[in-house]
Amino acid sequence: MVVSGRKSEMLADLLRSIKPTPATYISAARQIEAGRFDHLTPVRVGILATFTADFLRPYFVVEGAARRLRVQPHFAPFNQLEQQALDPSSALHAARPDVVVVAARLEDLAPRLVGRFVALSAQEIDDELEAVRTRLAALLDGLRRVTTATILVFNFAPPLVLTAGLADPALPVSQTSVVQRANDHVAMMRRALPGTYVFDYARIVAEFGLRRWYDLRLLYMGRIPFGAEAQLEVGRQLARYLRALLFPPCKCLVLDLDNTLWGGVLGEEGLGGIALGEDHPGIIYKDFQRAVLVLKDRGVLLAVASKNTEADVREVFERHPDCVLRTADFVAMQIHWGDKASSLKAIAEELSIGTDSLAVFDDSPVEREWIRTQMPEVWVIEVPEQAEGFAEALLDSGAFDHLEISSEDLVRTELYHQMRERGLLAERSASPEEFLRSLEMIATIGVVGPETLPRTAQLLAKTNQFNLTTRRHSATDLQEMIEAGGIALWMRVTDRFGDNGIVGVAIAVSEGDGDWRMDSFLLSCRVVGRGVEGALLGTLARLVRARGGHALIGEYIPTPKNSVTKDFYQNHGFVPLDVEKRRWRYDLGAEEMPIPDYIRVRLNE
Amino acid sequence: MADMVRERIYRVISDVFGVPFDQISDDASPDSIPTWDSMNHINLILALEAEFEISLDSSEATEMLSVGLIRAILAERGITDGGQAVPN
């Protein structure tokens, strides 16, 4: 995401000069809300709360701007949850929010669970919890009926005072466990409702410190449940969540080696001299490597960019007993004495991802600055001076923030290794057809349902190249389109080397007169160039015909990134309907649309 | 060092209420500044506490109804530029 020069500098200067105080934040927010910086992504946020939330505004706006967002908050009147959420003509809905935050405190929803807890019987506790669950579920459900906005719902912080004091753990039903049960209900609620996520308020308060959280004067004077510092923390976290909702996480972490994955310089100290082990200071780096592995588990690809000798490096990854990371954990390595910006570009190309999907962790401030100036679209993680802080800086950077982890994420590195094997295979085959046939591809195509919805929405959100219309439908939009009678298909491709996962999406919507418009058609770049799109298109055509459709209307919306799809319709026998070649038509007639014969197609029933 | 405290107070007023720095005087109050409402009054208290690293009690907070009064109350805490604090 390249930002224009002067204005982004002004914003950067403003943000750099801010002290974490109310005065500077309020002043900065005023400038941002006056629209002085125009390269930010606008997002309208409605906030419903059982308390006075308005004080969050300046912190939310400024922290949003620091993450390239122009947050436009609309605070609903105090304690009007249902009135604002369920009434389509309310001020909340008039503000057309993109995101709705629902912030309720347990103190307000079920005061007895917080105040007189010890006096409650087990049955009364259950009843109170059930009442909270029912009220919240009805609120979210009702909200979802009126708006397609993404919903972010607060869970509950521990009470400031445990009613039983030290004896809480000894109670048959402890107050702590009750709050946890309430939070489990919130988590379950969001699973049932598309486009809904939990704002882990409980965790945020715990990490900050419950004792420091409240300013009792504000609580009693204005029903404001956080002091000045906590207001900043909530604003920052809301901005962080918002960013995670609107932008995909970085796909690949590029790591430096010396003084990053181990202490010392490998070329100087040698295999036995670098600090990496169970004793201090090696344990710091070993733990950092474990943190890196956690990211890999979450679905982040790992790469190396280091000024070193390849043979030396391989020795560490293959032979050092305390090196937790191994060669197989990385999908790309650029180990040479050239500059890091070139390494980053090479890595991006090798993995078929944009450079704006890269995040870099390098202990050298000089290298970080170099990358920042050469490639402003790369996320350069802020690295503290002391290595003890590396793991936290990495995991807390925000570069990999994701509000959901899909089954694809869990095996992503494995998938990329298989991709590479296929690349090698291409060199040895005689002809393209022989190569494609030798892959023994099987395309499994099914109708999008609850289990496949997240991955489908993910593909719609992040696929740029083989995407004919680049429509960024949310999970909720998709649900609506399906319920309205549209056809939404996913395609999974397996071949000799393994499972590529779900890599294709096709959506067609009836125009009413026998014509079905192709709202979306895309392929993940890892399967482009193999003809699998023919399998998806052919299956879509058959299903449309089975529903009584006479023709497929193809749409092409050109973008700077999708020129690879320019001739897609032409290549599949569509005829253009306009001069600009944006609308195309395929008569479904008597014959079936041909599917490449080297792909076996299975329908998922 | 002269006038540092006065300047810092004026700076906080300017930031919290959005009033240009050179338009602020000791007379500034909710009557002369439209954005000085009850919500921003709370912001003002929090901002002064952060700026001067002090904790104000409720009576001090409710009495700070003009810049002059702010200077007087802070002076009573020993936060002043020296010379007489300006009562109002």
Side-chain angles (χ1 to χ4, degrees):
Chain A
M1 219 183 320
V2 184
V3 294
S4 59
R6 266 241 76 206
K7 283 212 170 148
S8 72
E9 275 163 39
M10 280 160 53
L11 177 60
D13 288 339
L14 175 68
L15 295 171
R16 240 194 303 270
S17 70
I18 288 189
K19 297 178 293 174
T21 64
T24 53
Y25 267 76
I26 291 169
S27 170
R30 189 173 293 118
Q31 294 184 59
I32 294 163
E33 293 201 271
R36 287 190 57 200
F37 309 101
D38 59 6
H39 57 279
L40 306 172
T41 304
V43 52
R44 291 184 299 273
V45 184
I47 295 132
L48 300 172
T50 58
F51 50 86
T52 306
D54 306 58
F55 284 82
L56 297 173
R57 184 184 202 110
Y59 309 102
F60 195 11
V61 167
V62 172
E63 291 292 324
R67 292 161 176 80
R68 311 245 175 103
L69 301 173
R70 176 122 123 76
V71 176
Q72 295 164 297
H74 167 92
F75 290 92
F78 172 77
N79 209 16
Q80 283 192 26
L81 297 183
E82 283 82 359
Q83 299 91 315
Q84 293 288 319
L86 307 183
D87 175 8
S89 65
S90 69
L92 171 75
H93 294 300
R96 286 161 43 242
D98 302 304
V99 178
V100 175
V101 175
V102 177
R105 294 174 73 219
L106 206 54
E107 288 81 349
D108 301 320
L109 292 183
R112 292 173 78 202
L113 284 182
V114 181
R116 302 289 306 275
F117 183 80
V118 167
L120 297 178
S121 69
Q123 184 60 55
E124 284 169 311
I125 291 171
D126 283 348
D127 291 344
E128 288 282 345
L129 272 176
E130 184 54 24
V132 169
R133 198 197 63 74
T134 315
R135 182 174 174 192
L136 212 44
L139 178 67
L140 296 181
D141 211 69
L143 186 54
R144 180 48 78 229
R145 279 172 213 284
V146 182
T147 177
T148 55
T150 304
I151 299 172
L152 199 56
V153 53
F154 274 46
N155 61 12
F156 307 113
L160 187 52
V161 173
L162 284 175
T163 320
L166 300 179
D168 189 62
L171 294 175
V173 179
S174 72
Q175 196 170 16
T176 303
S177 72
V178 166
V179 177
Q180 186 57 54
R181 268 161 69 192
N183 286 342
D184 291 342
H185 284 153
V186 175
M188 271 194 289
M189 248 177 259
R190 72 124 308 226
R191 257 172 244 145
L193 220 54
T196 310
Y197 300 91
V198 174
F199 183 71
D200 201 351
Y201 189 63
R203 179 74 197 178
I204 290 164
V205 173
E207 281 184 22
F208 186 89
L210 183 56
R211 285 251 163 115
R212 290 164 55 206
W213 191 259
Y214 290 94
D215 179 331
L216 292 174
R217 305 169 305 173
L218 297 184
L219 188 61
Y220 288 127
M221 261 203 298
R223 311 197 67 149
I224 305 154
F226 19 57
E229 284 179 36
Q231 289 168 25
L232 171 48
E233 185 59 23
V234 177
R236 171 178 296 146
Q237 293 289 346
L238 279 172
R240 187 176 173 180
Y241 271 71
L242 225 57
R243 170 127 195 142
L245 283 173
L246 297 174
F247 293 97
C250 290
K251 295 181 183 169
C252 177
L253 170 64
V254 182
L255 293 152
D256 178 46
L257 296 177
D258 293 322
N259 286 312
T260 299
L261 288 189
W262 50 74
V265 176
L266 178 62
E268 280 162 34
E269 329 268 354
L271 184 69
I274 54 172
L276 186 60
E278 291 296 324
D279 296 329
H280 189 277
I283 183 73
I284 298 169
Y285 296 96
K286 192 165 177 179
D287 248 18
F288 180 60
Q289 290 199 11
R290 291 190 184 111
V292 171
L293 266 183
V294 163
L295 284 182
K296 181 195 161 214
D297 289 342
R298 277 199 225 163
V300 177
L301 298 169
L302 302 179
V304 168
S306 171
K307 291 180 177 165
N308 243 305
T309 310
E310 228 185 289
D312 292 345
V313 171
R314 294 218 179 257
E315 224 198 344
V316 178
F317 285 129
E318 274 150 41
R319 300 246 300 274
H320 196 297
D322 290 297
C323 193
V324 176
L325 291 163
R326 298 291 168 192
T327 311
D329 293 318
F330 297 96
V331 291
M333 292 210 197
Q334 288 282 320
I335 302 165
H336 52 69
W337 299 94
D339 99 286
K340 294 240 173 157
S342 322
S343 294
L344 294 176
K345 288 180 190 138
I347 289 168
E349 216 182 287
E350 208 182 312
L351 300 175
S352 297
I353 59 179
T355 48
D356 58 354
S357 298
L358 298 178
V360 166
F361 194 101
D362 194 312
D363 72 292
S364 157
V366 171
E367 293 282 13
R368 292 201 299 272
E369 192 53 29
W370 170 247
I371 295 165
R372 249 182 230 117
T373 48
Q374 292 297 302
M375 306 175 75
E377 73 278 18
V378 170
W379 188 308
V380 179
I381 295 171
E382 274 310 305
V383 178
E385 285 229 11
Q386 300 295 327
E388 285 90 340
F390 280 7
E392 190 182 324
L394 177 67
L395 296 173
D396 238 19
S397 66
F400 309 103
D401 282 351
H402 208 179
L403 295 188
E404 255 173 333
I405 296 180
S406 72
S407 52
E408 310 278 344
D409 291 326
L410 296 173
V411 296
R412 181 156 291 121
T413 294
E414 194 48 45
L415 291 177
Y416 268 80
H417 281 311
Q418 288 170 16
M419 227 178 79
R420 171 157 309 115
E421 277 183 68
R422 281 176 217 115
L424 286 174
L425 187 68
E427 289 172 329
R428 271 185 262 141
S429 295
S431 76
E433 265 105 45
E434 280 178 33
F435 166 62
L436 290 175
R437 199 173 298 279
S438 75
L439 288 178
E440 293 167 27
M441 290 185 278
I442 301 174
T444 307
I445 298 172
V447 170
V448 175
E451 279 184 11
T452 44
L453 192 62
R455 172 61 178 166
T456 307
Q458 192 185 49
L459 278 172
L460 283 163
K462 60 183 204 173
T463 309
N464 296 314
Q465 292 171 292
F466 201 109
N467 190 337
L468 277 139
T469 53
T470 320
R471 292 199 170 103
R472 308 292 191 193
H473 296 306
S474 67
T476 324
D477 293 336
L478 265 178
Q479 188 101 322
E480 276 194 5
M481 290 171 85
I482 294 169
E483 279 164 21
I487 295 176
L489 301 176
W490 54 263
M491 175 173 69
R492 162 179 245 112
V493 174
T494 60
D495 60 34
R496 256 185 59 184
F497 295 100
D499 187 354
N500 285 277
I502 292 179
V503 287
V505 174
I507 303 176
V509 179
S510 169
E511 305 242 275
D513 46 1
D515 283 352
W516 281 69
R517 182 175 56 85
M518 289 171 58
D519 173 278
S520 299
F521 192 96
L522 60 81
L523 279 191
S524 165
C525 51
R526 70 175 86 122
V527 289
V528 168
R530 285 183 226 166
V532 295
E533 63 273 21
L536 183 58
L537 184 60
T539 307
L540 178 69
R542 266 200 281 146
L543 287 175
V544 165
R545 207 155 142 246
R547 293 270 290 270
H550 302 317
L552 272 180
I553 305 296
E555 280 188 285
Y556 171 54
I557 300 176
T559 71
K561 293 193 179 180
N562 73 350
S563 55
V564 69
T565 59
K566 201 161 45 74
D567 300 318
F568 173 76
Y569 291 116
Q570 183 150 323
N571 294 341
H572 286 90
F574 282 63
V575 290
L577 291 176
D578 56 8
V579 172
E580 293 89 12
K581 304 211 171 173
R582 302 286 157 80
R583 275 174 76 87
W584 299 72
R585 186 188 170 82
Y586 188 93
D587 255 307
L588 291 170
E591 280 178 16
E592 304 226 326
M593 185 184 277
I595 288 176
D597 66 351
Y598 51 82
I599 303 173
R600 271 159 51 214
V601 178
R602 287 201 187 126
L603 283 182
N604 192 64
E605 294 307 330
Chain B
M1 275 311 272
D3 277 2
M4 271 263 324
V5 169
R6 183 168 72 88
E7 213 176 275
R8 287 164 72 189
I9 294 173
Y10 282 20
R11 175 73 44 210
V12 168
I13 297 281
S14 172
D15 282 345
V16 173
F17 300 121
V19 176
F21 185 86
D22 46 17
Q23 285 179 27
I24 300 168
S25 70
D26 280 9
D27 292 331
S29 76
D31 292 328
S32 60
I33 298 179
T35 47
W36 192 330
D37 56 18
S38 55
M39 179 165 152
N40 271 335
H41 188 80
I42 292 178
N43 278 325
L44 173 66
I45 301 304
L46 297 177
L48 288 170
E49 289 184 326
E51 175 65 30
F52 295 104
E53 286 169 13
I54 54 171
S55 197
L56 297 164
D57 61 47
S58 316
S59 57
E60 287 167 315
T62 44
E63 275 165 38
M64 283 183 170
L65 288 176
S66 73
V67 177
L69 281 170
I70 292 171
R71 291 185 67 194
I73 290 168
L74 289 179
E76 271 166 42
R77 294 286 208 105
I79 300 168
T80 179
D81 292 315
Q84 292 289 331
V86 182
N88 206 348

